[in-house]
Amino acid sequence: MSALHFTVTFLLLTLLLEVNKAKSQSFIGVNYGQHADNLPSPAATAKLLQSTSIQKVRLYGSDAAMIKALANTGIGIVIGTANGDIPALASDPNFAKNWVDTNVVAYYPASKIILINVGNEVIMSGDNNLISQLLPAMQNVKNSLDAASLGDKVKVSTVHSMTLLKQSEPPSSGSFDPAYGDMLKGVLAFNNATASPFAINPYPFFAYRSDPRPETLAFCLFQPNSGRLDGNTKINYMNMFDAQVDAVRAALDAMGFKNVEIVVAETGWPYKGDSDEVGASIENAKAYNGNLIAHLRSMVGTPLMPGKSVDTYLFALYDENLKSGPTSERSFGLYQSADLTMTYDVGLSKSSSQAQTPASPATEKTPATPSAVAPSPEPKKASWCVPKKDVTDSELQASLDYACAHGIDCSPIQPGGSCFEPNTLSAHAAYAMNLYYQSSGRDPSSCDFSQAAMLSSSNPSYNGCTFPGGST
């Protein structure tokens, strides 16, 4: 092969990899619950997942058929042990070894198992016997993975309820319930030593249900709102998801575990509920999940963890029709099990993941799509798209999320990027809004952002940060 041929081939392969990367986000996962009698076949589910930008799936157990169906798909698989297995896992290393051999070794590496959750919300279960055996069970599972030479490839953790927090408002004062302090320290020391994540289940839906005011709904759905000021840090939080995750971050930091990463094991919003269930609707579910996905894709992160997106598993892939409780418990599915169609579109399809507008009810003020806005007068010289001087932080955040979710390269405003400093919302939003405008062929209508932006003939570039610009 000639040097030129090799170079061209290499560049083409690199381009293909980048295109595929753009269509898939490793930080977006989904929960696959099986408390239902009408689920599609594992093969059909695996094919569905491959058609989306979802790169990880969480199983609550270790269903062999589903693990096999996901073989050679490249999709990361999280499996779990039942709470009822914890006593045997804790007391009998051979039981742990057999569990790992049966559920991991038998399928790895064709099936890309990345994490084992030992139990679900055990510490808040109220079962003191189970709680006391959680850490020994985790240690025995880890030892079994080490013995199979998989200890550095498959992590071990457990999932926690948000009620583990004694205080969560403001986020900077986040702290865990001291009643579980000793047990939690042991689990966190394990997470820290093994580089495994601290998994939590934040649900802004439940926060809204307990405080059903319009301003709370907007805060929960990533919609424009006045925000909630953290008096300690002077950070004005613009959405509930960031506030909840940062409360956990603050609680971990306060206990001395600043290096333990957070994973959102579950979060979602029901699209249907009983007559007395406030907020459970198609419009709100689409707004929450759609805007959450856009927020994650923006790589903005949270105020306490900027510049990266927390691995987040959406709840859930399908409805689970055998669940008890209110209607909402059976109405979280992103896809319908009967025909695999989307319950509502939040841009997860690979063919549309770069072209979906962040979801919202018609009343929300969101960045307008190019076709929806009348063209402004065209300037005669080089132009840049910049935020207007009087825009609010919520408008800047919505514009930033929108731009970065629509296929532009936001890496320059991530840590280490040429435009990361100054690390302010206004500077990052300005860069993203302009790049979106330039990437849209400098169509004046793409510099609208719900009237939060304007065209300017002044080059906003500074120091080593270059804002693309051109003549229109």
Side-chain angles (χ1 to χ4, degrees), residues 200 202 240-249 262 264 302 305 310:
I200 56 169
M240 181 68 77
F241 179 84
D242 283 356
Q244 290 184 327
V245 172
D246 272 1
V248 175
R249 179 74 273 161
I262 294 172
V264 173
T302 72
M305 296 180 289
V310 173

Side-chain angles (χ1 to χ4, degrees), residues 202-242:
Y203 276 90
F205 168 69
F206 296 127
Y208 172 64
R209 195 170 66 178
S210 63
D211 179 19
R213 294 176 296 160
E215 55 266 38
T216 304
L217 182 62
F219 189 65
C220 289
L221 297 182
F222 299 85
Q223 294 175 348
N225 65 93
S226 59
R228 296 185 182 182
L229 181 68
D230 186 322
N232 299 326
T233 60
K234 306 306 179 186
I235 293 170
N236 193 36
Y237 280 84
M238 303 310 299
N239 66 80
M240 181 68 77
F241 179 84
D242 283 356

Side-chain angles (χ1 to χ4, degrees), residues 377-385 437-438 442 444 455-459 469-472:
E378 296 186 9
K380 301 300 182 182
K381 52 186 177 180
S383 62
W384 292 265
C385 181
Y437 163 68
Q438 304 295 339
R442 295 185 292 279
L455 292 174
S456 171
S457 59
S458 299
N459 189 343
S471 299
T472 60

Side-chain angles (χ1 to χ4, degrees), residues 107-182:
Y107 308 112
Y108 192 93
S111 295
K112 189 181 174 183
I113 299 168
I114 58 175
L115 176 67
I116 300 171
N117 284 320
V118 178
N120 187 48
E121 300 188 350
V122 174
I123 293 181
M124 298 305 294
S125 68
D127 187 333
N128 290 329
N129 181 53
L130 200 64
I131 294 170
S132 66
Q133 295 181 87
L134 175 60
L135 182 55
M138 293 170 67
Q139 290 170 330
N140 279 343
V141 171
K142 175 67 168 66
N143 291 341
S144 298
L145 288 168
D146 288 342
S149 299
L150 293 176
D152 61 338
K153 299 178 178 67
V154 182
K155 301 298 181 180
V156 178
S157 192
T158 188
V159 180
H160 305 280
S161 163
M162 286 293 288
T163 56
L164 193 59
L165 288 173
K166 183 176 179 63
Q167 185 168 341
S168 60
E169 294 184 13
S172 63
S173 66
S175 61
F176 295 116
D177 190 333
Y180 304 100
D182 291 340

Side-chain angles (χ1 to χ4, degrees), residues 10-23:
F10 176 79
L11 289 174
L12 286 172
L13 287 173
T14 301
L15 178 61
L16 287 171
L17 286 171
E18 288 303 310
V19 169
N20 186 61
K21 182 179 178 182
K23 291 183 176 180

Side-chain angles (χ1 to χ4, degrees), residues 96-113:
K97 180 183 183 302
N98 289 336
W99 194 96
V100 167
D101 287 345
T102 300
N103 298 295
V104 181
V105 177
Y107 308 112
Y108 192 93
S111 295
K112 189 181 174 183
I113 299 168

